[in-house]
């Protein structure tokens, strides 16, 4: 197995010559890095003009390996050969170290480089990289690799600190500045050589040195101060993975490399596995190019229906400086929006929001004193009901969630859910399985009105920025949402994808009813506490809707059938009437009759607490003067009980309410029980 490691550029705010003087103080041994026992010079030579020095050392290391492992391999120490090339004329020190011990089984090559900062000649840069090739190590390859990684990370973390420590010794010796090597300045150059010849030279390599040789162009390097300021705290291994991904993507793209924050998000999404992150990012970059996502911010035009009825928008920031997005999901007409702008339109809106979010993150980082890497989402569920469980709409939203998860990973820092109603467990059960586990862990839920109590929103959002619709003092410009009038629907705007077995055409059934006729769906239930849901549109005339339950078995459907449709057409009587049964004795009404008017869309649910037969019944009692048949289009579904274990307290016992979504310009009122 071969591992490569690359550390970011460390910047020492001292001249190259002063850094070299401090560097010499670290040897022959360095108490701050006890793994280095001793370094012995085996060869040391200067050029005639004192501008170049070539040094070779044999370094003894006491690797922090388990005692039993050391006994098994029969060594207490390992040895490295380190070769240094100092060029005072070019102001560069290059260091290469290779292992002498077990070289036939394990190959370690570490390279370091000190050089003058390209933008500030008073500063010095340091790069460090290594390659670890464990060929065959008595079956302990994985163990050796882990030990190496641990040791390398520990030593890299100390590198910059050590220069600062030894620089104090240089100052204490009265050396506060050193002139660079100058052609012909024999006396000054000889004095510089004398100061730089103290000690027995550099820090030896580590068996654990695991980073790539740094011969690549400067575009593959990162300053450690820059990382801390704009990317946040990263471990040496995480820094190394970031540099590796940066180079690989540059080689793949042969063009502009995504920002370091983007690379870091994809690495975090794949637990800093570079191969997996590269695959995920490569697919995302192809997706962005195919759909011209980079042009969305400049070219996207918000549809009028979104301006009027989409209840979401950016709203200041949270206490951590994250941009805050508000979504009043309970007031969002998913069905109306999809019927107006389609799934592609809703996706473009979502992508525009995400691209705005990335821009706001960059601005927040630049104006704050720390890296802001994710945004905060505040979701208000007041008004959420069964209309939000319109299955084609849910499936469209899930597709959008999957696209966002794949292309904007690790952008969600926190999700605050407020005013969650009783139907929320159903919606959450459906949606949560499609959300990344790490993202789900960032959700915080507040039911009722406790969100403004201690431990609520005030822990995360400044008091003065709590939006007015939640009882705060801050004016919110997020639209209230509401029902999209059917007059704004666009024919063909939303259709389920071809081949989808749950397409709207296949899951919705159309029925015509004459005066006095009924249409019924019989749902056998053998799963107590499962949830029966329904969604139907009244397309013409008024229709009465009721739900009944009987302990008696009303039909014998095939084993793979969950419901049986009866009535409609010439059928005038309910299956209950045909059997001569009496209400209250042979069957019971479990949902009160609801008269639904022309143009209304109805959604609802019922918790089936008992086994038996449930009957969804639609009845037409009156026709208008045209005598045209009443029409409706409906869909129903049974959600199994195991999804709701522990969540049933959030649902009403025994019955659940009807909720209405009028297709007219004004909302009709429906009772909610």
């Amino acid at each position: 197995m071969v591992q490569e490691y690359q550390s970011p550029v460390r910047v020492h705010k001292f001249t190259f010559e002063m850094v070299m003087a401090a560097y010499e103080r670290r040897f022959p041994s360095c108490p701050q890095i006890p793994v280095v026992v001793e370094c012995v010079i085996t060869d040391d030579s200067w050029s005639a003009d004192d501008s170049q020095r070539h040094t070779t050392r044999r370094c003894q290391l006491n690797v922090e390996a388990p005692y039993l492992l050391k006994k098994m391999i029969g060594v207490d120490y390992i040895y490295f050969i380190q070769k240094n090339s100092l060029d005072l004329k070019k102001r560069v020190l290059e260091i290469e170290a290779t292992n002498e011990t077990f070289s036939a089984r394990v190959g370690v090559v570490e390279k370091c480089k000190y050089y003058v900062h390209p933008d500030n000649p008073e500063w010095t840069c340091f790069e460090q990289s290594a390659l670890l090739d464990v060929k065959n190590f008595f079956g302990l390859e994985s163990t050796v690799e882990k030990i190496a990684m641990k040791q390398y990370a520990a030593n890299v973390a100390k590198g910059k600190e050590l220069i600062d420590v030894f620089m104090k010794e240089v100052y204490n010796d009265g050396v506060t500045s050193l002139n660079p090597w100058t052609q012909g300045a024999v006396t000054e150059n000889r004095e510089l050589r004398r100061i730089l010849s103290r000690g027995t030279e550099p820090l030896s390599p580590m068996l654990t040195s695991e980073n790539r040789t740094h011969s690549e162009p400067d575009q593959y390097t990162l300053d450690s101060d820059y990382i801390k300021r704009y990317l946040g705290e990263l471990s040496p291994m995480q820094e190394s993975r970031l540099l590796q991904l940066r180079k690989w993507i540059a080689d793949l793209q042969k063009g502009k490399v995504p920002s370091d924050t983007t690379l870091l998000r994809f690495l975090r999404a794949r637990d800093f596995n570079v191969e997996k992150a590269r695959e995920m990012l490569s697919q995302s970059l192809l997706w962005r190019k195919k759909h011209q996502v980079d042009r969305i911010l400049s070219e996207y035009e918000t549809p009028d229906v979104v301006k009027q009825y989409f209840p979401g928008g950016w709203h200041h920031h949270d206490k951590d400086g994250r941009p805050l997005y508000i979504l009043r999901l309970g007031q969002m007409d998913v069905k109306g929006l999809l019927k107006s702008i389609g799934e592609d339109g809703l996706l473009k809106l979502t992508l525009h929001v995400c691209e705005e979010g990335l821009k706001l993150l960059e601005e927040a980082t630049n104006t704050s004193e720390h890296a802001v890497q994710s945004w905060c989402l505040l979701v208000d569920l007041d008004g959420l009901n069964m209309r939000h469980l319109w299955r084609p709409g849910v499936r469209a939203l899930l597709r959008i969630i999957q696209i966002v998860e794949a292309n904007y990973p690790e952008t969600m820092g926190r999700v605050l859910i407020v005013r969650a109603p009783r139907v929320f467990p159903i919606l959450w059960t459906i949606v949560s399985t499609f959300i990344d586990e790490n993202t789900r862990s960032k959700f915080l839920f507040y039911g009722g009105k406790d969100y403004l109590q201690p431990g609520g929103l005030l822990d995360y959002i400044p008091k003065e920025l709590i939006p007015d619709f939640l009882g705060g003092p801050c004016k919110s410009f997020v639209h209230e949402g509401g029902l999209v009038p059917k007059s704004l629907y666009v024919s063909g705007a939303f259709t389920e994808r071809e081949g989808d077995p749950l397409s709207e055409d296949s899951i919705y059934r159309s029925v015509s009813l004459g005066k006095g006729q009924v249409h019924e769906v019989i749902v056998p239930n053998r799963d107590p506490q499962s949830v029966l849901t329904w969604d139907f549109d009244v397309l013409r005339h008024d229709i009465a809707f009721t739900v009944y339950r009987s302990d008696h078995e009303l039909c014998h459907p095939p084993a793979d059938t969950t419901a049986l449709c009866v009535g409609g057409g010439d059928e005038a009587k309910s299956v209950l009437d045909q059997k001569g049964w009496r209400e209250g004795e042979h069957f019971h009404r479990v949902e009160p009759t609801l008269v639904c008017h022309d143009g209304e869309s109805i959604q609802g649910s019922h918790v089936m607490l008992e086994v038996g037969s449930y009957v969804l019944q639609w009845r037409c009692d009156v026709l208008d003067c045209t005598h045209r048949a009443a029409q409706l289009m409906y869909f129903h579904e049974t959600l199994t009980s195991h999804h709701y274990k522990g969540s049933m307290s959030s649902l009403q016992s025994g019955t659940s309410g009807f909720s209405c979504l009028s297709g007219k310009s004004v909302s009709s009122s429906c009772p909610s029980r």
Side-chain angles (χ1 to χ4, degrees):
M1 60 183 75
V2 178
Q3 291 286 347
E4 296 183 3
Y5 303 91
Q6 178 73 54
S7 300
V9 175
R10 312 287 174 178
V11 177
H12 304 292
K13 296 183 179 180
F14 304 99
T15 64
F16 176 78
E17 290 72 26
M18 289 294 290
V19 170
M20 292 297 96
Y23 175 73
E24 288 296 326
R25 304 298 179 107
R26 300 164 64 174
F27 302 98
S29 60
C30 181
Q32 288 81 0
I33 303 183
V35 66
V36 181
V37 179
E38 187 178 28
C39 290
V40 178
I41 291 180
T42 59
D43 182 64
D44 190 19
S45 62
W46 284 85
S47 63
D49 61 359
D50 296 325
S51 66
Q52 295 183 349
R53 182 188 187 188
H54 298 281
T55 310
T56 302
R57 286 175 173 75
R58 188 171 187 260
C59 303
Q60 183 184 37
L61 278 69
N62 181 13
V63 179
E64 296 179 0
Y67 174 78
L68 288 178
L69 176 60
K70 289 186 176 182
K71 289 303 179 184
M72 288 175 61
I73 62 179
V75 298
D76 288 322
Y77 301 100
I78 61 174
Y79 292 88
F80 272 78
I81 303 301
Q82 185 182 62
K83 296 181 179 181
N84 289 14
S85 295
L86 173 63
D87 191 325
L88 293 175
K89 184 185 300 185
K90 296 180 179 179
R91 304 179 80 189
V92 173
L93 170 64
E94 293 182 335
I95 307 167
E96 179 175 298
T98 56
N99 62 306
E100 180 182 73
T101 307
F102 298 120
S103 58
R105 297 180 176 274
V106 179
V108 178
V109 179
E110 181 180 35
K111 292 189 178 182
C112 304
K113 182 180 179 181
Y114 287 91
Y115 58 95
V116 177
H117 194 289
D119 299 321
N120 189 334
E122 300 298 311
W123 293 354
T124 304
C125 296
F126 172 68
E127 298 176 14
Q128 185 174 14
S129 62
L131 182 146
L132 171 68
D133 182 7
V134 184
K135 305 167 186 175
N136 184 333
F137 204 81
F138 314 106
L140 301 171
E141 292 81 5
S142 178
T143 301
V144 170
E145 182 182 358
K146 290 178 180 178
I147 293 173
M149 183 180 298
K150 179 181 178 182
Q151 192 71 64
Y152 177 79
N155 292 345
V156 165
K158 295 178 181 178
K160 186 175 180 181
E161 175 186 338
L162 288 178
I163 288 293
D164 294 336
V165 169
F166 290 109
M167 188 63 72
K168 292 180 181 179
E169 290 189 13
V170 175
Y171 276 102
N172 290 336
D173 285 349
V175 180
T176 57
S177 66
L178 288 171
N179 293 325
W181 181 92
T182 305
Q183 182 73 41
V186 178
T187 303
E188 291 81 356
N189 294 341
R190 183 54 56 92
E191 178 62 16
L192 178 61
R193 167 178 169 170
R194 185 188 67 79
I195 293 175
L196 299 187
S197 296
R198 294 190 56 173
T200 318
E201 257 202 335
L203 172 67
S204 70
M206 323 103 191
L207 171 64
T208 126
S209 294
E210 313 157 10
N211 250 355
R212 165 173 59 250
T213 317
H214 191 75
S215 57
E216 296 81 27
D218 287 344
Q219 64 178 344
Y220 303 135
T221 66
L222 290 177
D223 184 286
S224 58
D225 292 335
Y226 158 81
I227 290 177
K228 184 176 181 180
R229 170 62 181 84
Y230 292 99
L231 303 181
E233 295 287 349
L234 299 178
S235 71
M237 288 301 103
Q238 291 172 341
E239 293 173 341
S240 174
R241 301 301 188 241
L242 174 59
L243 290 172
Q244 287 185 47
L245 181 61
R246 201 166 185 253
K247 179 184 181 302
W248 283 0
I249 291 297
D251 291 344
L252 178 68
Q253 291 292 106
K254 302 300 181 185
K256 183 179 178 181
V257 180
S259 68
D260 298 318
T261 53
T262 298
L263 300 178
L264 191 57
R265 286 193 290 106
F266 281 85
L267 278 169
R268 286 194 169 114
R270 291 296 178 262
D271 295 324
F272 283 86
N273 183 305
V274 180
E275 289 283 358
K276 293 180 179 179
R278 179 174 65 165
E279 179 181 357
M280 182 184 185
L281 179 55
S282 298
Q283 292 176 355
S284 179
L285 293 175
L286 291 174
W287 170 83
R288 291 182 69 89
K289 184 176 181 179
K290 178 180 179 181
H291 298 282
Q292 299 183 323
V293 178
D294 290 336
R295 299 164 60 177
I296 281 183
L297 283 180
S298 60
E299 298 183 357
Y300 179 75
E301 295 183 5
T302 307
D304 289 339
V305 67
V306 171
K307 294 177 182 177
Q308 297 178 56
Y309 296 99
F310 182 73
W314 293 102
H315 176 88
H316 302 287
H317 55 81
D318 67 6
K319 286 188 173 181
D320 294 318
R322 297 187 180 102
L324 175 62
Y325 191 86
I326 293 177
L327 180 63
R328 302 181 69 173
L329 184 59
Q331 305 300 319
M332 181 175 170
D333 180 3
V334 178
K335 185 174 185 178
L337 288 170
L338 285 170
K339 291 285 188 179
S340 302
I341 62 175
E343 183 179 341
D344 285 345
L346 194 57
L347 174 60
K348 287 181 180 178
L349 169 62
T350 305
L351 298 182
H352 184 260
V353 170
C354 291
E355 290 296 310
E356 284 183 321
L358 294 180
K359 183 178 179 181
L360 290 172
L361 290 178
E362 183 178 354
E363 293 174 356
T365 295
N366 290 335
T367 56
S368 66
E369 297 180 355
H370 63 280
V372 180
Q373 302 166 340
S374 58
W375 53 70
C376 179
L377 175 63
L378 172 60
V379 182
D380 178 21
L381 296 182
D382 184 47
L384 187 79
N385 49 49
M386 290 307 297
R387 68 182 169 87
H388 294 88
L389 284 179
W390 180 56
R391 304 302 281 176
V394 170
R395 279 165 173 72
L397 291 178
L398 291 179
R399 292 189 192 104
I400 292 174
I401 289 174
Q402 288 177 314
I403 291 173
V404 171
E405 287 268 313
N407 297 284
Y408 299 90
E410 298 298 316
T411 53
M412 192 72 70
R414 183 181 296 122
V415 183
L416 304 170
I417 307 289
V418 298
R419 302 201 283 191
R422 63 180 177 83
V423 300
F424 177 67
I426 298 177
L427 184 63
W428 176 245
T429 298
I430 295 172
V431 174
S432 62
T433 56
F434 291 85
I435 300 176
D436 178 78
E437 182 178 354
N438 184 45
T439 302
R440 289 202 307 271
S441 67
K442 300 172 183 177
F443 280 67
L444 298 172
F445 301 91
Y446 301 95
K449 298 181 179 180
D450 62 350
Y451 55 87
L452 290 181
Q453 302 300 316
L457 293 185
L458 294 178
D459 285 359
Y460 306 103
I461 301 175
K463 183 177 181 179
E464 65 275 12
L465 297 182
I466 299 293
D468 49 4
F469 63 85
L470 291 178
C474 189
K475 174 66 176 177
S476 169
F477 294 97
V478 175
H479 198 281
E480 293 182 0
L483 304 169
V484 177
K486 284 192 175 180
S487 60
L488 296 180
Y489 286 10
V490 176
S491 177
F494 178 70
T495 55
E496 286 289 302
R497 303 192 175 194
E498 185 178 350
D500 188 340
L502 293 174
S503 67
E504 184 169 284
D505 291 338
S506 64
I507 67 174
Y508 279 81
R509 178 172 177 178
S510 297
V511 175
S512 296
L513 295 175
K515 182 178 179 180
Q517 291 184 333
V518 299
H519 180 79
E520 294 177 332
V521 175
I522 300 173
V523 182
N525 180 46
R526 303 177 182 86
D527 180 16
Q529 295 194 331
S530 58
V531 180
L532 176 61
T533 68
W534 54 84
D535 175 14
F536 63 91
D537 284 359
V538 180
L539 305 179
R540 187 188 300 157
H541 298 315
D542 293 348
I543 293 177
F545 176 70
T546 314
V547 182
Y548 299 100
R549 185 191 67 81
S550 174
D551 292 329
H552 303 283
E553 194 170 69
L554 288 175
C555 61
H556 300 278
D560 60 348
T561 301
T562 58
L564 179 67
C565 300
V566 297
D570 296 330
E571 294 286 344
K573 290 185 178 181
S574 163
V575 66
L576 303 172
D577 295 334
Q578 292 175 18
K579 290 182 175 292
W581 287 352
R582 291 188 296 274
E583 184 175 348
E585 181 179 347
H586 300 97
F587 64 92
H588 304 274
R589 191 180 308 234
V590 294
E591 293 284 358
T593 299
L594 178 69
V595 177
C596 307
H597 306 289
D598 182 4
E600 288 184 346
S601 295
I602 313 297
Q603 294 81 31
S605 67
H606 178 83
V607 181
M608 298 187 291
L609 296 174
E610 303 174 75
V611 298
S613 297
Y614 288 78
V615 180
L616 304 176
Q617 183 190 91
W618 292 268
R619 179 188 298 274
C620 177
D621 292 320
V622 180
L623 294 180
D624 60 19
C625 59
T626 65
H627 302 294
R628 293 188 302 169
Q631 289 186 341
L632 74 138
M633 185 173 67
Y634 73 89
F635 162 70
H636 79 282
E637 184 174 16
T638 298
L639 307 173
T640 58
S641 63
H642 75 270
H643 286 156
Y644 308 103
K645 300 287 186 183
S647 299
M648 297 304 295
S649 60
S650 299
L651 301 170
Q652 284 189 350
S653 176
T655 62
S656 61
F658 295 98
S659 54
C660 290
L661 173 60
S662 174
K664 303 176 182 177
S665 57
V666 248
S667 168
S668 63
S669 74
C670 266
S672 180
R673 302 172 177 80

